[in-house]
Amino acid sequence: PATDGQRLYAFFGSRGLFVYDLNGKPLWQKDLGLKMTMHLAFGEGTGTVVHDGRIYLQFDHNGEGFIVALNAADGKELWRAPRMDHSSWSTPLIVEHAGGKQLVVSADTKVKAYDIDTGKVVWEVAGLGQNPIPQPVQFRDTVILMSGYRNPRLFAVRLGRTGDLTGTDAVVWETTRGTSYTASPALHDGRLYIIADNGMMSVFDAATGTPHYLQQRLPKPYNFKASPLVVNDRVYLATEEGDVVVVKTGNQFEGLATNTLTDQSFIASPIAIGNDLYLRSRTHLFRISER
């Protein structure tokens, strides 16, 4: 789900979008008219994008899909762009460059950037592997894209170009090692922090793609679905085994702590609000603070 501070938007793919006020009162709902067929019957897990009074929803599946922009207040459809891309679970990202905004959508066919006002494709680039899940991130005038299943790839695309950028110098760096299948990367102070599903951690220079360290093992074997969270000089890693591993930010790996919550398993990513850390396990919601 996503919120703009006024309403809560919960997206359930084929079953539509459900919108509530912040007291839980239903406001409106919308069926977008598509029954999705996902690769290997995996679920429909793309996130909701809310920006400047609009909602953007991605419907990529094994068939003709689309991306759609809705008015956040009432669900009125503003534009719809057809897509013939395979199943993907990556949440789109709005990027800003030279006074304009684009909606970047990952896919294993081609990553495409749409004009947020018209739905027209501004640029596209091929090269991601199958089943893209991590969300893109923007670093300065580049957008960084990642996949980690078959034919994994991590690469940065220079913003400001138009058309098909495949094989051009708009792709400023790339690598096939140290990528994540499920977790999105965390960007902090020019470094890109990535945790792979098998618990191997990598940190890259976001400008050049040079690894500071690559596929570093954590204190013990873990499995991951949750994305890393960076706060100040710490990286928080919530594991499927119930441990939350804390690693120091920087160019060298340094483990700081391993905190165990017994009989828990974390799939959702941790978040921080003020001085509090929030963790959602399969069964509980935790708030961690000094008091």
Side-chain angles (χ1 to χ4, degrees):
T3 181
D4 54 10
Q6 301 180 58
R7 293 173 286 267
L8 180 72
Y9 308 89
F11 178 40
F12 292 92
S14 298
R15 298 185 182 274
L17 179 71
F18 297 80
V19 182
Y20 303 84
D21 68 18
L22 298 190
N23 292 316
K25 176 185 176 182
L27 298 177
W28 57 268
Q29 65 188 65
K30 193 173 186 73
D31 183 345
L32 279 298
L34 177 65
K35 175 61 177 175
M36 300 170 74
T37 304
M38 304 302 290
H39 177 61
L40 298 179
F42 290 157
E44 305 168 13
T46 301
T48 313
V49 179
V50 182
H51 180 79
D52 198 21
R54 295 180 181 178
I55 307 162
Y56 301 90
L57 304 174
Q58 174 187 355
F59 289 82
D60 278 1
H61 69 128
N62 290 357
E64 184 175 351
F66 56 86
I67 191 158
V68 63
L70 307 175
N71 185 294
D74 55 15
K76 177 184 178 182
E77 188 168 316
L78 303 175
W79 56 258
R80 181 183 295 213
R83 289 175 58 80
M84 283 297 295
D85 300 276
H86 303 146
S87 297
S88 72
W89 296 264
S90 174
T91 299
L93 176 74
I94 290 180
V95 299
E96 299 186 27
H97 178 71
K101 296 180 181 180
Q102 302 168 6
L103 185 71
V104 178
V105 185
S106 292
D108 64 358
T109 48
K110 285 185 176 180
V111 177
K112 295 180 181 178
Y114 295 85
D115 183 291
I116 65 167
D117 294 321
T118 66
K120 293 183 178 179
V121 176
V122 179
W123 57 265
E124 59 186 23
V125 62
L128 281 187
Q130 192 175 4
N131 291 8
I133 299 174
Q135 186 179 30
V137 296
Q138 182 177 1
F139 177 68
R140 298 175 183 167
D141 64 346
T142 65
V143 59
I144 300 173
L145 306 145
M146 180 167 61
S147 64
Y149 184 48
R150 292 176 181 168
N151 303 314
R153 192 178 179 204
L154 170 66
F155 64 99
V157 177
R158 184 85 63 195
L159 296 169
R161 307 283 186 89
T162 60
D164 192 340
L165 306 181
T166 307
T168 72
D169 61 359
V171 180
V172 294
W173 62 261
E174 61 180 293
T175 183
T176 58
R177 294 186 63 195
T179 71
S180 164
Y181 180 23
T182 305
S184 296
L187 180 63
H188 180 263
D189 198 22
R191 300 182 187 94
L192 197 68
Y193 295 86
I194 295 173
I195 188 71
D197 291 47
N198 63 2
M200 304 288 263
M201 186 173 180
S202 301
V203 177
F204 294 87
D205 184 298
T208 66
T210 302
H212 295 299
Y213 56 84
L214 193 62
Q215 296 174 315
Q216 168 69 46
R217 294 184 182 275
L218 297 180
K220 64 181 184 180
Y222 291 111
N223 293 286
F224 280 89
K225 294 294 182 291
S227 301
L229 170 70
V230 180
V231 181
N232 297 326
D233 62 346
R234 287 168 169 77
V235 186
Y236 295 88
L237 304 166
T239 73
E240 291 192 60
E241 287 73 19
D243 287 352
V244 179
V245 180
V246 186
V247 174
K248 187 174 178 60
T249 58
N251 296 343
Q252 289 81 39
F253 178 84
E254 181 183 347
L256 298 177
T258 299
N259 302 291
T260 300
L261 286 89
T262 305
D263 298 326
Q264 301 298 317
S265 179
F266 295 101
I267 298 294
S269 303
I271 63 169
I273 303 174
N275 293 320
D276 295 338
L277 179 69
Y278 292 87
L279 303 162
R280 180 170 69 84
S281 76
R282 294 176 184 267
T283 58
H284 290 74
L285 179 67
F286 297 91
R287 173 189 170 196
I288 311 295
S289 59
E290 289 185 324
R291 296 183 62 185

